[in-house]
Amino acid sequence: MGMVMCSLNSALFFYFKKGVLSGIICIHVDDFCWDGEDFFRDTVINSLKDKFLIGTTSHGSFKYIGVHLERDSAGGIGLSQDDYVRSLEEVKLEEKHKRSRSDVLSEMEKRDYRALVGQLNWIATQTRPDISFDVCELSSVFDKARVDDLIRANKVVKKVQSRSVVVQYPKLRDQNQLTIECYSDASFGNLKDGGSQGGHVIFIVDSDGKRCPVTWQYKRLRRVVKSTLAAETLALLDSAEAGVYIATLLAECLNLSVGDFVVKCFVDNRSLVDAVHSTKAIEDKHLRINMAVLRDMLSKRDIQSITWVRSSLQLANVLTKIGACPKPLLSAIGGCSTSSQ
Ligand SMILES: *[C@@H]1O[C@H](CO)[C@@H](O)[C@H](O)[C@H]1NC(C)=O
Ligand SMILES: *[C@@H]1O[C@H](CO)[C@@H](O)[C@H](O)[C@H]1NC(C)=O
């Protein structure tokens, strides 16, 4: 039907009319989500409907793979999972009173624990970055989960249920003047087994400063590192690569060139910003390699800048630190978080 499969994601299809994006379809298993101009609907979508047996269809505001999408009058989109969040249930401990916090869970409890953490992970990746840190920690003890961990998982259920969050995607202007902002942060050696965690959140920002949060991630850093600086550097590198990926995806989607998008990185560690911009030799060899990759990305203009921001403005903070205030990030992704209790 003349659609082009995205080279970076084979479940994403674009339709161009005279070189300009006219429609888009994304596919999750056999669920299609599409948007586009009337022409696209009348030709491509209608032919799809002739070809395949389509079950239910919805438009405007609806649920897609469990996430509620709501369109606002200004052309923006809000995402929420409040129904799903409300349906979460805490896991009950067997023989609650006879157990100590350090006891290992029974096989049955472990199964329920894993299922609950799976549900929390789904929420964290879709609409609730504020529980990212908890989920990462809860997932790191699957095999040897203890009573303590289960109590914590149940607390996270209360935490997600205590506020309602709508992630906002405002309509952006000037497609050829978009900036990609990448915020990264890390915690050195903070996981129970000594591992470090890194996280980032990435926004597409237009010339009016309107921002869409396109992706966030929090995870154990892929290698054991020796210092805060090394942890921050690795997290920054992951974030810069993810930013370049988004720029490439956007360029393909909008039929523009990657160079049309400016990628900017933000970190809250001055030593890191200084180190990237200095030629002083670094002793840690692995760190030296990562630093060289970052400098190379800067010199090739894959990323335009690496800038220091105050910790309180570091939106990725909450992804990597226990007890970090979720408000800056939650208000950056929607500003619509209210207590539902
Ligand atoms: C993208 O735009 C160029 C013109 O700038 C055009 O030649 C090309 O065919 C377009 N690509 C697609 C897939 O439509
Ligand atoms: C920045 O990194 C240095 C090590 O390079 C570390 O000592 C310091 O605590 C870090 N500061 C912040 C705010 O993370």
Side-chain angles (χ1 to χ4, degrees):
M1 292 176 198
M3 292 201 80
V4 182
M5 186 170 85
C6 174
S7 68
L8 301 171
N9 185 333
S10 45
L12 191 56
F13 295 82
F14 308 123
Y15 186 80
F16 297 99
K17 204 174 146 204
K18 298 204 180 91
V20 177
L21 182 71
S22 165
I24 185 165
I25 304 181
C26 73
I27 301 172
H28 180 78
V29 193
D30 60 353
D31 277 338
F32 286 42
C33 187
W34 69 272
D35 200 357
E37 299 175 323
D38 294 348
F39 176 82
F40 173 70
R41 183 195 56 213
D42 296 343
T43 53
V44 179
I45 297 297
N46 284 341
S47 324
L48 271 178
K49 285 184 178 159
D50 291 341
K51 181 98 184 161
F52 295 106
L53 180 63
I54 310 258
T56 44
T57 61
S58 343
H59 60 94
S61 298
F62 57 91
K63 243 189 205 163
Y64 178 66
I65 53 170
V67 179
H68 185 75
L69 279 93
E70 180 109 29
R71 201 168 264 248
D72 62 42
S73 53
I77 296 170
L79 298 189
S80 84
Q81 285 177 299
D82 286 350
D83 294 346
Y84 187 72
V85 166
R86 266 194 298 273
S87 75
L88 289 180
E89 285 182 26
E90 295 177 23
V91 173
K92 293 208 169 49
L93 271 173
E94 300 157 13
E95 300 187 72
K96 199 171 167 190
H97 302 293
K98 294 186 197 150
R99 311 278 291 275
S100 118
R101 287 189 148 229
S102 55
D103 287 350
V104 173
L105 296 178
S106 71
E107 285 312 308
M108 184 87 110
E109 287 167 336
K110 271 189 201 162
R111 197 199 58 195
D112 292 347
Y113 173 83
R114 273 198 290 266
L116 180 61
V117 174
Q119 290 177 305
L120 291 171
N121 184 45
W122 168 239
I123 297 169
T125 55
Q126 300 302 300
T127 58
R128 296 296 298 266
D130 55 313
I131 59 161
S132 298
F133 181 84
D134 298 291
V135 172
C136 187
E137 285 212 323
L138 295 171
S139 325
S140 71
V141 293
F142 267 171
D143 313 327
K144 10 182 211 294
R146 296 164 188 277
V147 170
D148 219 10
D149 301 309
L150 181 54
I151 292 173
R152 175 152 178 213
N154 286 339
K155 274 197 187 139
V156 178
V157 171
K158 288 210 181 75
K159 180 165 159 183
V160 270
Q161 289 177 338
S162 74
R163 58 171 98 214
S164 134
V165 171
V166 182
V167 185
Q168 300 285 354
Y169 295 83
K171 188 178 170 74
L172 303 178
R173 55 179 290 188
D174 301 334
Q175 293 185 341
N176 52 0
Q177 286 182 44
L178 298 172
T179 299
I180 296 163
E181 290 186 355
C182 313
Y183 294 82
S184 64
D185 203 2
S187 287
F188 169 57
N190 68 323
L191 290 174
K192 276 185 186 159
D193 58 0
S196 304
Q197 195 182 29
H200 59 247
V201 52
I202 297 179
F203 297 87
I204 302 176
V205 185
D206 75 4
S207 50
D208 283 342
K210 286 206 182 109
R211 33 171 65 192
C212 288
V214 277
T215 182
W216 55 78
Q217 193 189 54
Y218 54 96
K219 60 169 199 200
R220 152 190 292 279
L221 288 175
R222 53 189 136 104
R223 49 174 283 117
V224 172
V225 291
K226 296 186 200 149
S227 64
T228 303
L229 186 61
E232 297 263 359
T233 306
L234 207 45
L236 167 59
L237 190 54
D238 280 345
S239 151
E241 283 169 355
V244 172
Y245 172 85
I246 298 293
T248 313
L249 191 62
L250 266 184
E252 197 173 326
C253 172
L254 299 172
N255 193 19
L256 295 168
S257 85
V258 182
D260 289 328
F261 303 97
V262 171
V263 180
K264 294 181 178 173
C265 297
F266 299 90
V267 296
D268 68 359
N269 192 300
R270 273 195 205 277
S271 330
L272 172 55
V273 177
D274 293 345
V276 176
H277 296 105
S278 136
T279 46
K280 218 173 105 200
I282 299 165
E283 209 169 317
D284 176 342
K285 295 292 189 301
H286 255 285
L287 179 54
R288 210 190 273 201
I289 294 168
N290 289 334
M291 216 49 104
V293 175
L294 283 166
R295 287 181 191 136
D296 190 49
M297 289 175 94
L298 277 172
S299 74
K300 292 199 176 113
R301 306 300 273 170
D302 289 341
I303 51 179
Q304 194 199 49
S305 56
I306 296 173
T307 314
W308 177 82
V309 283
R310 258 185 294 138
S311 289
S312 57
L313 296 177
Q314 175 47 278
L315 300 171
N317 218 319
V318 64
L319 299 176
T320 55
K321 287 181 187 69
I322 192 160
C325 178
K327 287 208 182 104
L329 179 58
L330 288 178
S331 67
I333 66 173
C336 200
S337 111
T338 51
S339 173
S340 63
Q341 282 189 333

